[in-house]
Amino acid sequence: MKIKRILFIGITSVLCVLLAGMVHTEPGQPVDGQPYRSVTASDVVQMMEQQEVYLLDVREAQEAESGMLPNAVNYPLSYFSRQIEQADLPTDAYIVVYCSSGVRSTKAARKLCNMGYQHVFDLGAMPDWPS
């Protein structure tokens, strides 16, 4: 009886650890096999010095009217998947997404990864952009 209890607890513990690992996805960790990373404004500036970077503002159009980062394009999250397909961006493009709080940019980063994009970066909330 004691052996069955120990065996049951052991198997249950292993299953809990495995299941917890399957559902836990934090920004910067692989999502469906495709990684994306959280970045800062200074990271993005450095990236832009080294290669072409697509800045995507995923706020709604009314929010973006108040101002966007230089060279950013507004792709509201509500139409995001359709607009990305129409944009025909190469899957190896460097793409940085941002919004007003970081929630929508995380969703957009995950969508991009799930669509096969390889270099996806989440800037999160729209930062104070360096001059």
Side-chain angles (χ1 to χ4, degrees):
M1 194 57 131
K2 202 174 197 181
I3 294 175
K4 286 183 181 180
R5 181 180 286 177
I6 292 171
L7 188 57
F8 175 77
I9 291 171
I11 291 172
T12 305
S13 298
V14 169
L15 287 174
C16 287
V17 169
L18 290 174
L19 289 174
M22 291 172 61
V23 275
H24 184 70
T25 55
E26 290 291 327
Q29 296 300 314
V31 178
D32 295 338
Q34 295 292 327
Y36 73 95
R37 291 188 318 154
S38 297
V39 291
T40 65
S42 60
D43 294 333
V44 175
V45 169
Q46 287 178 353
M47 230 188 301
M48 292 171 78
E49 292 170 354
Q50 297 171 4
Q51 67 260 327
E52 183 177 17
V53 175
Y54 295 89
L55 286 173
L56 305 183
D57 182 332
V58 297
R59 299 175 297 161
E60 293 303 313
Q62 302 85 341
E63 295 171 277
E65 288 174 3
S66 66
M68 296 191 320
L69 297 180
N71 301 316
V73 178
N74 181 234
Y75 285 11
L77 188 62
S78 55
Y79 305 104
F80 190 76
S81 296
R82 185 173 351 132
Q83 287 183 312
I84 288 296
E85 288 171 6
Q86 291 173 350
D88 199 29
L89 296 174
T91 56
D92 63 346
Y94 283 73
I95 302 173
V96 176
V97 292
Y98 72 91
C99 63
S100 57
S101 69
V103 174
R104 289 175 283 185
S105 64
T106 298
K107 289 178 182 178
R110 287 181 178 159
K111 284 184 180 194
L112 286 166
C113 290
N114 289 332
M115 294 171 82
Y117 288 90
Q118 302 164 16
H119 305 288
V120 179
F121 303 89
D122 182 5
L123 183 56
M126 185 173 159
D128 292 327
W129 194 251
S131 327

